[in-house]
Amino acid sequence: MKMPYAVGNVMKKVLIIEDEQDLADLIAFNLEREGFCPVVALDGRSGLDSALADPPDLIILDLMLPGIMGTEVCRLLKSREKTAAIPIIMVTAKGEEIDRVVGFEVGADDYVVKPFSTRELMLRVQAVLRRTGPERPAGTILRIGPLVIDTERHEVTVGDEAVTLTTTEFKLLLTLAERQGRLQSRERLLKDVWGFAYVGDTRTVDTHITRLRTKLGEAGELIKTVRGFGYKLEAE
Ligand code: CA
């Protein structure tokens, strides 16, 4: 069945880095049917080369790869300026270091656990693209303590130092900043930042908050944890 949102996906490039040819082909087939332009790389090295040469809109990355592991590929992609903002969905086996994968160390934007249905993967792809896609035409500068957010240019600075954030981290920070001083539950953040179709758990919010705080340095203290409930961003 063709999804109603297929039209919006036309020409969006998705890079699949997966060493199992059959699985890679199956994912590519389904992406194509949804209107995407899939590209397959069968190992980490060629995946990295492809992403750097012609950055895709999204990457589906297998954790277990020959040569360079998926976690390392992800870390490398997130550390290069050219590829840092590309959302990455990690494909893992059950119990395979999921905390590390979506946490600070590796930094994937989302994950699916093998075996997954292609339908589930397609929903994840849509959800990730929706929450990382371009929106917000009206630009404003938000200043909270040492933190400055340019909502139009998607730039964040802390005391004149530029901070490089992934699209999800930026959206999370902006959501908290726009609701300054107001407590946001994990569920609310998950819904507003990750989108309705996201079926992950609230740990995802916690790992992203941890990563965001670290990246923000002294401004990280602006994000307050409200035990058992959620977070709020507030000046001292
Ligand atoms: Ca594999």
Side-chain angles (χ1 to χ4, degrees), residues 58-93:
L58 182 134
I59 297 171
I60 296 170
L61 174 61
D62 187 26
L63 181 81
M64 294 298 286
L65 291 169
I68 316 170
M69 285 284 287
T71 45
E72 183 62 10
V73 173
C74 184
R75 210 184 52 71
L76 286 167
L77 288 167
K78 291 293 182 187
S79 68
R80 306 270 178 94
E81 200 182 339
K82 202 173 175 186
T83 52
I86 303 171
I88 297 177
I89 299 177
M90 204 84 161
V91 178
T92 74

XYZ file of all heavy atoms in Angstrom, residues 58-93:
270
model
N 19.168 11.091 5.106
C 19.041 10.208 6.265
C 19.907 8.974 6.035
O 20.134 8.586 4.891
C 17.569 9.798 6.446
C 17.222 8.915 7.639
C 15.984 9.474 8.348
C 16.910 7.487 7.234
N 20.391 8.374 7.134
C 21.213 7.169 7.004
C 20.618 6.058 7.872
O 20.260 6.289 9.028
C 22.676 7.435 7.444
C 23.327 8.482 6.524
C 23.502 6.129 7.436
C 24.682 8.982 6.989
N 20.476 4.876 7.277
C 20.092 3.683 8.030
C 21.365 2.861 8.164
O 21.968 2.474 7.154
C 18.980 2.891 7.304
C 17.711 3.750 7.223
C 18.688 1.576 8.038
C 16.632 3.167 6.326
N 21.791 2.649 9.401
C 23.130 2.109 9.642
C 23.085 0.854 10.499
O 22.593 0.879 11.633
C 23.960 3.204 10.338
C 25.347 2.887 10.844
C 26.262 2.458 9.708
C 25.928 4.102 11.555
N 23.610 -0.240 9.973
C 23.669 -1.496 10.720
C 24.775 -1.408 11.763
O 25.834 -0.833 11.511
C 23.940 -2.655 9.744
C 23.853 -4.015 10.423
O 23.137 -4.125 11.448
O 24.488 -4.955 9.926
N 24.519 -1.961 12.945
C 25.528 -1.922 14.011
C 26.681 -2.894 13.734
O 27.854 -2.555 13.860
C 24.879 -2.257 15.362
C 25.801 -2.226 16.569
C 25.989 -0.796 17.065
C 25.251 -3.079 17.700
N 26.318 -4.126 13.333
C 27.334 -5.153 13.109
C 27.782 -5.142 11.653
O 27.093 -5.657 10.776
C 26.769 -6.539 13.462
C 26.449 -6.714 14.932
S 27.894 -6.573 15.998
C 28.684 -8.136 15.660
N 28.929 -4.528 11.416
C 29.463 -4.444 10.057
C 30.882 -4.997 10.036
O 31.597 -4.890 11.033
C 29.505 -2.979 9.593
C 28.181 -2.259 9.325
C 28.422 -0.771 9.158
C 27.495 -2.831 8.086
N 31.308 -5.567 8.917
C 32.699 -6.009 8.827
C 33.621 -4.785 8.737
O 33.215 -3.753 8.225
C 32.729 -6.804 7.524
C 31.600 -6.264 6.713
C 30.554 -5.793 7.682
N 34.827 -4.886 9.216
C 35.740 -3.738 9.172
C 35.393 -2.742 10.260
O 35.509 -3.037 11.433
N 34.925 -1.560 9.843
C 34.542 -0.543 10.826
C 33.138 -0.836 11.336
O 32.197 -0.931 10.555
C 34.555 0.876 10.197
C 35.806 1.082 9.338
C 34.463 1.937 11.279
C 35.756 2.348 8.517
N 32.985 -0.942 12.655
C 31.682 -1.191 13.270
C 30.738 -0.016 13.040
O 31.177 1.136 12.911
C 31.853 -1.365 14.779
C 32.438 -2.691 15.191
S 31.197 -4.013 15.080
C 30.174 -3.584 16.513
N 29.429 -0.318 13.059
C 28.407 0.706 12.859
C 28.496 1.833 13.877
O 28.296 3.000 13.541
N 28.805 1.476 15.130
C 28.915 2.501 16.180
C 30.020 3.500 15.839
O 29.861 4.700 16.038
C 29.218 1.852 17.553
O 30.242 0.881 17.383
C 27.991 1.187 18.131
N 31.127 2.988 15.311
C 32.253 3.847 14.944
C 31.902 4.701 13.717
O 32.244 5.890 13.674
C 33.487 2.966 14.654
C 34.767 3.714 14.324
C 35.277 4.620 15.442
O 34.753 4.556 16.575
O 36.193 5.423 15.164
N 31.211 4.098 12.756
C 30.768 4.844 11.567
C 29.880 6.011 12.023
O 30.048 7.149 11.585
C 29.989 3.925 10.593
C 29.385 4.737 9.446
C 30.890 2.831 10.046
N 28.959 5.725 12.938
C 28.033 6.737 13.437
C 28.798 7.864 14.132
O 28.557 9.046 13.886
C 27.043 6.085 14.404
S 25.786 7.205 15.005
N 29.728 7.485 14.994
C 30.519 8.467 15.739
C 31.311 9.367 14.776
O 31.361 10.585 14.955
C 31.472 7.738 16.683
C 31.833 8.471 17.947
C 32.861 7.692 18.747
N 34.036 7.314 17.961
C 34.961 8.172 17.539
N 34.876 9.436 17.810
N 35.988 7.747 16.825
N 31.898 8.755 13.750
C 32.666 9.518 12.760
C 31.769 10.498 11.990
O 32.129 11.648 11.787
C 33.373 8.572 11.774
C 34.586 7.823 12.336
C 35.007 6.695 11.394
C 35.759 8.771 12.560
N 30.590 10.005 11.581
C 29.666 10.858 10.827
C 29.210 12.038 11.673
O 29.110 13.161 11.187
C 28.451 10.049 10.373
C 28.693 9.040 9.243
C 27.501 8.097 9.113
C 28.936 9.746 7.919
N 28.948 11.786 12.956
C 28.465 12.845 13.851
C 29.574 13.834 14.216
O 29.291 14.926 14.699
C 27.863 12.235 15.126
C 26.561 11.489 14.905
C 25.428 12.418 14.497
C 24.103 11.677 14.330
N 23.056 12.557 13.774
N 30.823 13.436 14.009
C 31.933 14.320 14.386
C 32.400 15.196 13.213
O 33.153 16.136 13.412
C 33.109 13.502 14.924
O 33.680 12.734 13.877
N 31.972 14.867 11.995
C 32.344 15.691 10.830
C 31.281 16.756 10.604
O 30.086 16.442 10.601
C 32.436 14.825 9.557
C 33.343 13.628 9.679
C 34.767 13.968 9.283
N 35.636 12.825 9.459
C 35.941 11.956 8.500
N 35.437 12.107 7.290
N 36.742 10.955 8.741
N 31.735 17.963 10.355
C 30.790 19.067 10.168
C 29.827 18.795 9.003
O 28.643 19.082 9.077
C 31.566 20.362 9.919
C 30.743 21.606 10.197
C 31.486 22.886 9.896
O 32.737 22.873 9.858
O 30.818 23.897 9.669
N 30.378 18.210 7.932
C 29.596 17.978 6.718
C 28.444 16.986 6.925
O 27.434 17.039 6.222
C 30.540 17.461 5.622
C 30.011 17.665 4.215
C 31.060 17.280 3.181
C 30.484 17.358 1.784
N 31.424 16.855 0.779
N 28.626 16.057 7.875
C 27.637 14.995 8.040
C 26.966 14.986 9.410
O 26.078 14.171 9.649
C 28.297 13.614 7.803
O 29.470 13.516 8.631
C 28.690 13.409 6.357
N 27.369 15.908 10.303
C 26.886 15.887 11.704
C 25.365 16.002 11.815
O 24.763 15.415 12.707
C 27.546 16.994 12.504
N 24.764 16.758 10.895
C 23.326 17.013 11.014
C 22.460 15.943 10.341
O 21.243 15.986 10.428
C 22.999 18.381 10.422
N 23.086 14.975 9.673
C 22.299 13.942 8.985
C 21.730 12.975 10.029
O 22.487 12.380 10.797
C 23.154 13.144 7.973
C 23.791 14.084 6.942
C 22.323 12.065 7.284
C 24.822 13.405 6.046
N 20.399 12.829 10.075
C 19.844 11.890 11.046
C 20.237 10.439 10.734
O 20.308 10.059 9.563
C 18.330 12.094 10.933
C 18.104 12.797 9.655
C 19.363 13.522 9.295
N 20.528 9.681 11.793
C 20.954 8.290 11.630
C 20.029 7.368 12.418
O 19.801 7.581 13.607
C 22.409 8.097 12.113
C 23.365 8.928 11.248
C 22.809 6.608 12.083
C 24.822 8.876 11.676
N 19.487 6.365 11.726
C 18.726 5.318 12.404
C 19.610 4.090 12.455
O 20.059 3.583 11.425
C 17.405 4.984 11.661
C 16.500 6.224 11.597
C 16.679 3.825 12.358
C 15.217 6.005 10.810
N 19.870 3.615 13.662
C 20.766 2.482 13.834
C 19.954 1.190 13.851
O 18.897 1.132 14.465
C 21.483 2.670 15.174
C 22.753 1.968 15.251
S 24.042 2.989 14.516
C 25.413 2.191 15.241
N 20.475 0.169 13.174
C 19.845 -1.150 13.179
C 20.643 -2.035 14.128
O 21.840 -2.262 13.915
C 19.835 -1.754 11.752
C 19.233 -3.147 11.770
C 19.068 -0.852 10.793
N 20.005 -2.502 15.184
C 20.709 -3.300 16.187
C 20.015 -4.648 16.366
O 18.873 -4.821 15.955
C 20.721 -2.602 17.565
O 19.415 -2.706 18.143
C 21.109 -1.151 17.465
N 20.717 -5.587 16.979
C 20.075 -6.832 17.393
C 19.592 -6.616 18.820
O 20.012 -5.680 19.495
C 21.055 -7.983 17.319
